[in-house]
Amino acid sequence: METRTAIAVERKKTCNCAQAVIATYADLVGITQEHAMNLGNAFGSGMGNMEGTCGALTGAAIIVGLATADKQRSRQVMSSIMAQFQSRNGSTQCRALKGIDTHKMLRSCPDCVADACELLEKELF
């Protein structure tokens, strides 16, 4: 049986990182695939063309919010996911992860998607 992490990584081939994560967990939070893809439209390339938070993490944050439906719980879960992602990869920012300024990639997009899914499942599902 294919894991959701593997499904998300496969989805990354045809959509942005946020969409890959959101679409993979859409059924668990009661949204359609179309809604999932639309939710993730603006979060590719780290919001603002690699200037912001990794799209895979923003996708995870959307799922956390929908799954918990609780502001405080969402913040706690996402804080934990962000800290673990930062520790694992050295950054949560797309630009740094891709090595845009340093020319040293810290983590590929498919690997960021896999990490975000793994941490999401560990914390929430």
Side-chain angles (χ1 to χ4, degrees):
M1 183 174 177
E2 195 170 26
T3 66
R4 286 189 187 256
T5 298
I7 292 167
V9 170
E10 184 63 27
R11 276 196 168 112
K12 174 58 188 116
K13 293 177 181 177
T14 59
C15 58
N16 72 43
C17 297
Q19 289 171 320
V21 174
I22 299 165
T24 299
Y25 297 92
D27 64 314
L28 297 181
V29 295
I31 61 173
T32 67
Q33 288 295 305
E34 181 181 12
H35 194 182
M37 295 301 280
N38 288 335
L39 279 169
N41 278 338
F43 296 105
S45 298
M47 290 187 291
N49 201 21
M50 295 189 169
E51 296 296 330
T53 301
C54 166
L57 286 170
T58 58
I62 289 168
I63 295 299
V64 167
L66 291 169
T68 65
D70 179 89
K71 187 176 181 179
Q72 186 171 347
R73 175 81 175 122
S74 292
R75 287 180 177 179
Q76 291 170 340
V77 170
M78 203 57 216
S79 178
S80 179
I81 289 171
M82 293 288 284
Q84 291 176 76
F85 191 96
Q86 170 75 35
S87 177
R88 181 181 290 185
N89 297 309
S91 183
T92 61
Q93 299 299 303
C94 184
R95 185 175 195 87
L97 290 162
K98 300 300 144 257
I100 300 302
D101 299 320
T102 64
H103 304 290
K104 181 182 179 212
M105 183 183 290
L106 299 176
R107 199 77 166 140
S108 72
C109 288
D111 289 338
C112 287
V113 167
D115 289 346
C117 289
E118 178 189 325
L119 295 170
L120 180 63
E121 289 189 21
K122 175 182 169 189
E123 291 293 324
L124 204 55
F125 298 112

